[in-house]
Amino acid sequence: MSAKYDLTMDQGATFTRTITLKDDAAVVVNITGNTFAGQIRTSAHSGTIAGTFDFLITNGTGGVFNWSMTSANTTLLPAQQCVYDVEMTQANGDVVRLLEGYVNIKSNVTR
């Protein structure tokens, strides 16, 4: 089951978070060999991707990865409330949704 985590993002600003993945018993999950994907859409049923997150595993055995979007890409996001999710594909092919929620995109004034 995924965790609900609502975000606020600023158009034109770099978005970055560092995540340490732990199981229900608060034990670090080894994410070596796993991949991550995440998108923003204006609604869950929209066929159009508003934005795509980048991911980088920085410590696989420690369960640590970076989740980000460049300022060039956040500039392209619509200034409105959208939805997102983050999924992990395990080395064996299983897909696990880790996070989901709303993302409020705040307008960029300085361009």
Side-chain angles (χ1 to χ4, degrees), residues 13-67:
T14 301
F15 169 83
T16 186
R17 299 284 189 279
T18 299
I19 306 290
T20 301
L21 189 60
K22 296 181 180 181
D23 65 16
D24 292 338
V27 175
V28 170
V29 175
N30 184 345
I31 58 174
T32 302
N34 296 350
T35 59
F36 296 85
Q39 297 177 342
I40 297 173
R41 295 178 187 254
T42 55
S43 75
H45 304 290
S46 174
T48 303
I49 299 168
T52 301
F53 295 108
D54 296 313
F55 298 91
L56 176 66
I57 295 174
T58 57
N59 179 352
T61 58
V64 181
F65 65 94
N66 289 338
W67 169 29

Side-chain angles (χ1 to χ4, degrees), residues 40-109:
I40 297 173
R41 295 178 187 254
T42 55
S43 75
H45 304 290
S46 174
T48 303
I49 299 168
T52 301
F53 295 108
D54 296 313
F55 298 91
L56 176 66
I57 295 174
T58 57
N59 179 352
T61 58
V64 181
F65 65 94
N66 289 338
W67 169 29
S68 64
M69 186 178 290
T70 66
S71 60
N73 288 334
T74 65
T75 297
L76 303 174
L77 295 173
Q80 67 182 68
Q81 185 178 64
C82 297
V83 293
Y84 83 95
D85 65 14
V86 171
E87 295 180 338
M88 176 179 68
T89 301
Q90 297 174 319
N92 66 5
D94 289 346
V95 177
V96 178
R97 183 178 297 160
L98 300 175
L99 295 169
E100 63 181 273
Y102 293 104
V103 55
N104 293 302
I105 313 297
K106 294 181 357 185
S107 293
N108 187 11
V109 176

